[in-house]
Amino acid sequence: MNKQLYINEIQALFDEVQRSQIFEDQKTMSDAVSLFPVDEINSKYEKEKNVEGFDLKQFVLSNFDFLDTKTSVVREKHLPIDEHIEKLWDELTRTAYEERGTLLKLPKPYIVPGGRFNEFFYWDSYYIMLGLQVSGRVEMMENIIENCSYLIQTVGFVPNASRTHFLSRSQPPYFSLMLDLLFEITKSQNIYVKYHDTLEKEYAFWMNGEKDVDNNSAFKRVVKTANGDILNRYFDSENDPRPESYLIDIEDSENAGEEFFRNIRSACESGWDFSSRWFADGESIKTIETLNLAEVDLNCLLWHLEKTLSKSSSLQNLSEKENYFKKRAADRKQMINKYFWDEASGTYKDYHIKKNTTTPSEHVAALYPLFLKIVSKKQAESVAKNIEEKFLYQGGLITTTKNSGQQWDFPNAWAPYQWLGFQSMKNYGFDELAEKIKKNWCSNVERVYNNTGKLMEKYNAFDVETVAGGGEYPNQDGFGWTNGVYLKLKQN
């Protein structure tokens, strides 16, 4: 049975399953595939749940399929790491031509991250594409772009991941950067013309509400400062526990603010779930205030989208649109330096909408302005110094300087930021630092692979004798973006 499953259709049953913790991982039930019509399952549940001897787990196993909830990776002993990754591309390839449970259908095959992440993820796919580029798998790169375009054209944006319960949020908007990767291979600017309409639609999603926002306030993903300047923030349209982390969210929400769930979900849109970066006190998830922040990474990515739209308009001789997006990009570049540059610390930080100042959190997203080459040499030197002194450890670049126990904090090193760090330093001629970032992280990946036969989701940059931890679930292996970034770094 291929009926699309929406969690709210089985809310009472779903609530009991998650609260009862009959599965070790809360994501298991959110990925389930119903074997019978939902109304039939609900009816059976209502009739049987109060009957003596009712076995909840057995009921669920009889009415749902859980075959596709986890990716298992087949390994050959002593295979060189690059050969292992080549095999992994095939093992992590999926198709979803039909709706299956909560899984959204997609027109083309795609690559999943691995482990418990057995669906298409947005920003992961860009870093996977880096490796596909090295592997010469151009068709799969094109597939990923086609899937993103399909989602933007059908639902208005690329969801966090390709499941029905992610239809309230996106992830960092990398679509325009994906086009650049394909252009590097094909050298055909037709790619920008082909997807011009898709680029416009994604931009409209992020700027939705711009006309309805007042000075010194925010609406959806748009922020207007006290001076009337436009910035963007991460946002989620729902304010309920996440299905994939349902009980965790409910327990964390005790004594928290009224928009706790939306703040949690909005942090998920950033990809950084979770980090002290989002916490008002820098310590506790109960103080999460994502909605009060405009983020440097998001605004840099939207600058790139605006620049790309100016280019795609120019290629079609759409001079009015070209000038419009050129101005939007120029304005945003100015705003990035006005609102996110912190002179005192000599680096980029997020901007607190209500306090009208940069936030105290020191984090590696400060790399984005360098990665996209929108800062002066002097600013780049300052950021590079900051990165080398505070973020670079024996096993790679950490994400923040704070050890909170959250997975997007010290001491973890994540693949995306090793590439961002390497490329940012190369962009401004800091070649020695770029090589150090590459060497430290790649050697960490190789060490773990030699010891375990696994490529992990994240790594411990501080203690290279151990593996990374923290977060809501165990460290996963597979792993899409690690494979991609490792191959790309080794090629450079």
Side-chain angles (χ1 to χ4, degrees), residues 9 85 249 391:
E9 296 176 320
I85 291 173
D249 283 358
F391 290 85

Coordinates of all heavy atoms in Angstrom, one line a residue, residues 9 85 249 391:
E9 N -2.5 12.1 11.1 CA -3.6 11.2 10.8 C -3.7 10.1 11.8 O -4.7 9.4 12.0 CB -3.5 10.6 9.4 CG -3.6 11.7 8.3 CD -3.4 11.1 6.9 OE1 -2.5 10.2 6.8 OE2 -4.1 11.5 6.0
I85 N 34.6 4.1 -0.4 CA 33.7 5.2 -0.7 C 33.0 5.0 -2.0 O 31.8 5.2 -2.2 CB 34.3 6.6 -0.6 CG1 34.8 6.9 0.8 CG2 33.4 7.7 -1.2 CD1 35.6 8.2 1.0
D249 N 11.5 16.2 22.7 CA 11.0 17.5 22.7 C 10.1 17.8 23.8 O 10.1 18.9 24.4 CB 10.4 17.9 21.3 CG 11.4 18.1 20.2 OD1 12.6 18.0 20.5 OD2 10.9 18.3 19.1
F391 N 39.6 27.4 16.7 CA 38.8 26.3 16.2 C 39.5 25.1 15.6 O 39.0 24.0 15.5 CB 37.9 26.9 15.0 CG 36.8 27.8 15.5 CD1 37.1 29.1 15.8 CD2 35.6 27.3 15.8 CE1 36.1 30.0 16.2 CE2 34.6 28.2 16.3 CZ 34.9 29.5 16.5

